Amino acid sequence: VAGSFWYSFGKRFFDISSCSLALLVFAIPMCLIALKIKAESPGPAIYSQRRLGKDGKEFNVYKFRSMYIDAELKGAKWAQGDDPRVTPFGKIMRKTRLDEIPQFWNVLKGDMSLVGPRPERPVFCKEFEKRIHGWNYRTLVKPGLSGLAQVTGGYELLPKEKIKLDLFYIEHRSFAMDFKIILKTIGVISTGTGAR
């Protein structure tokens, strides 16, 4: 099924219909989240960050701000489970993945899909490509709002472990696998385990 026309068509149709509905359902909660973020620390409620998408094309990914505004004054750092740069409410958002809600817009735009390898920052990809064989293959498909690596281990996985899961997904992706990952993602949101 991987790479077939009907799989690609069906996946895009599901992405558009489900994310359009999600943005309507989450409209009021998104406003409340934004107000909470603004009340807790100065800075914008939503921020954009450059990530690598399909075929290595860069795009802006949107997220609710979970870190303090000066979190990266000393440069980009790989996110960790217990990150001191994260605000108290940011920790809750990350555990429940609420910080990812604005990415429904990325999916609607076509930058991302609901399921796929998580998009990484260009600066990290550049380094990982030097050290981890096959890292660049992650851009053969659209990045996802959630992925096999995220529901398998999340923060606990090293980049070299994530790439194995990402490549497994790329080689075996199907409607059934996507559905299983979506169900597991709902489990992650409910329990807060494995979230990234």
Side-chain angles (χ1 to χ4, degrees), residues 121-133 135:
R121 300 171 69 173
V123 63
F124 294 141
C125 287
K126 190 175 181 180
E127 289 303 313
F128 292 150
E129 284 174 13
K130 296 176 184 177
R131 295 180 284 158
I132 303 174
H133 177 69
W135 184 267

Side-chain angles (χ1 to χ4, degrees), residues 11 97 100 103 112-119 138 141-155 157 162 164-170 173 177-186 188 193-196:
K11 187 179 178 76
R97 285 199 167 187
E100 312 283 3
Q103 286 169 48
M112 296 173 60
S113 178
L114 277 176
V115 180
R118 284 295 293 162
R138 298 172 82 255
V141 299
K142 281 186 182 180
L145 184 58
S146 184
L148 184 60
Q150 281 61 49
V151 299
T152 302
Y155 280 115
L157 296 177
K162 288 183 179 179
K164 292 178 181 178
L165 292 167
D166 288 336
L167 293 183
F168 180 86
Y169 171 76
I170 290 171
R173 64 193 189 279
M177 180 175 283
D178 286 348
F179 185 64
K180 287 179 183 177
I181 291 173
I182 289 172
L183 288 180
K184 285 186 177 182
T185 301
I186 295 172
V188 166
T193 57
R196 177 168 192 273

Side-chain angles (χ1 to χ4, degrees), residues 46-195:
I46 294 177
Y47 77 101
S48 64
Q49 192 177 70
R50 299 298 282 176
R51 298 288 176 102
L52 279 190
K54 189 175 185 298
D55 301 323
K57 181 181 177 182
E58 290 190 22
F59 70 98
N60 286 323
V61 70
Y62 301 103
K63 299 182 76 171
F64 277 123
R65 180 173 57 83
S66 59
M67 292 185 178
Y68 293 103
I69 197 66
D70 59 353
E72 295 198 331
L73 287 178
K74 295 182 180 178
K77 293 181 180 179
W78 182 255
Q80 300 175 1
D82 188 18
D83 200 321
R85 299 171 298 165
V86 179
T87 64
F89 184 57
K91 291 178 181 179
I92 295 172
M93 287 195 295
R94 286 186 166 204
K95 191 173 184 180
T96 56
R97 285 199 167 187
L98 290 174
D99 61 323
E100 312 283 3
I101 291 177
Q103 286 169 48
F104 285 133
W105 177 243
N106 282 115
V107 176
L108 274 182
K109 286 177 61 184
D111 297 325
M112 296 173 60
S113 178
L114 277 176
V115 180
R118 284 295 293 162
E120 292 295 348
R121 300 171 69 173
V123 63
F124 294 141
C125 287
K126 190 175 181 180
E127 289 303 313
F128 292 150
E129 284 174 13
K130 296 176 184 177
R131 295 180 284 158
I132 303 174
H133 177 69
W135 184 267
N136 58 314
Y137 294 146
R138 298 172 82 255
T139 60
L140 290 174
V141 299
K142 281 186 182 180
L145 184 58
S146 184
L148 184 60
Q150 281 61 49
V151 299
T152 302
Y155 280 115
E156 305 305 317
L157 296 177
L158 296 172
K160 63 182 179 181
E161 295 171 320
K162 288 183 179 179
I163 187 60
K164 292 178 181 178
L165 292 167
D166 288 336
L167 293 183
F168 180 86
Y169 171 76
I170 290 171
E171 292 174 7
H172 301 90
R173 64 193 189 279
S174 64
F175 289 125
M177 180 175 283
D178 286 348
F179 185 64
K180 287 179 183 177
I181 291 173
I182 289 172
L183 288 180
K184 285 186 177 182
T185 301
I186 295 172
V188 166
I189 293 170
S190 302
T191 63
T193 57

